[in-house]
Amino acid sequence: PFYSSMRAWARFGIPVILAAAVLAGFGSLWLMKRGRKGKIFAAAFWVLIVFEGVMIPYKYFTPVSDNDRSVNQWIASLPADTALIEYPRPWVDKVAMYSQSLHRRSIVNGYMSFEPSFLSKVDSQLGAWPTADALPVLQEWGIDYLVMSAVPNNSEFVEEIMPRIALIDELCLVAQFPDAYKFSNFEETYVYRLLEPGED
């Protein structure tokens, strides 16, 4: 049941943990009724349960959540009603959720398992990297900034992608940071201000 929404078998561990906790309660009660020896076994059992339940902070065992980029502090200093989008898509769509928990600003393309319909409808228009075709959508959504993870040592990025982005008059590079998400060879982070029509 609900397999399509859970997507991964491992996530059925959530109800399994609840069922195991109930059974552990019954087992502890049974041991407690077995005298002094049973109480010792029950106490050891409780210690094992507490140890098994200790959560290791996520950032210590996966590079996906190790994303405390310097740009996050810069974004956090912006007004609370600031809205942004992260590029390149779709590589950063999911991990952007973790950064949002650090900078607390609205981000339109942060999602986990299922792409929201409003994004899928304009997926081709938004593109993988910032393009002029995406500007009408971003302006309609009220996006203030584009945060872009860069791969400066990649020839395609340097010779093709960056020159195309530089030709978009509505984008103004306002900040550059020497770090980025620690995957896909990202090394730098660029922040572009999305200019309003007629804004210099």
Side-chain angles (χ1 to χ4, degrees):
F2 313 115
Y3 176 71
S4 61
S5 62
M6 284 194 161
R7 192 168 58 90
W9 281 108
R11 293 177 185 172
F12 283 98
I14 298 169
V16 168
I17 290 170
L18 175 61
V22 172
L23 291 174
F26 283 118
S28 295
L29 181 63
W30 182 83
L31 285 170
M32 294 290 287
K33 292 179 178 178
R34 296 295 179 263
R36 187 167 181 265
K37 202 172 186 179
K39 290 178 182 176
I40 293 172
F41 276 115
F45 186 51
W46 296 335
V47 169
L48 285 173
I49 290 174
V50 170
F51 178 75
E52 192 277 333
V54 172
M55 296 293 181
I56 300 172
Y58 198 42
K59 66 180 181 179
Y60 294 136
F61 64 88
T62 174
V64 174
S65 62
D66 184 15
N67 61 63
D68 191 7
R69 310 166 294 171
S70 50
V71 70
N72 290 333
Q73 296 177 359
W74 186 88
I75 296 172
S77 69
L78 297 172
D81 61 349
T82 299
L84 49 101
I85 184 171
E86 290 230 25
Y87 278 94
R89 303 181 56 252
W91 294 279
V92 298
D93 281 348
K94 294 171 176 56
V95 75
M97 292 289 287
Y98 295 106
S99 286
Q100 187 183 31
S101 70
L102 298 173
H103 60 64
R104 304 288 182 181
R105 297 298 174 264
S106 297
I107 181 164
V108 299
N109 65 316
Y111 68 91
M112 287 299 181
S113 298
F114 305 102
E115 184 177 21
S117 58
F118 77 91
L119 268 180
S120 59
K121 287 177 184 176
V122 293
D123 189 65
S124 60
Q125 195 172 351
L126 290 178
W129 297 94
T131 65
D133 292 340
L135 295 179
V137 175
L138 300 180
Q139 289 168 341
E140 181 184 345
W141 288 351
I143 301 302
D144 301 299
Y145 294 94
L146 280 77
V147 179
M148 189 176 78
S149 298
V151 280
N153 293 324
N154 179 282
S155 59
E156 181 186 3
F157 179 80
V158 173
E159 297 169 12
E160 297 179 29
I161 295 170
M162 280 303 289
R164 284 201 305 263
I165 295 172
L167 292 175
I168 304 174
D169 294 333
E170 292 84 356
L171 294 182
C172 177
L173 182 64
V174 294
Q176 184 174 342
F177 299 88
D179 58 356
Y181 289 126
K182 296 175 177 62
F183 65 95
S184 293
N185 298 318
F186 297 138
E187 293 182 14
E188 296 178 346
T189 304
Y190 302 151
V191 181
Y192 292 89
R193 173 90 166 104
L194 180 61
L195 303 178
E196 297 290 333
E199 184 181 356
D200 187 1

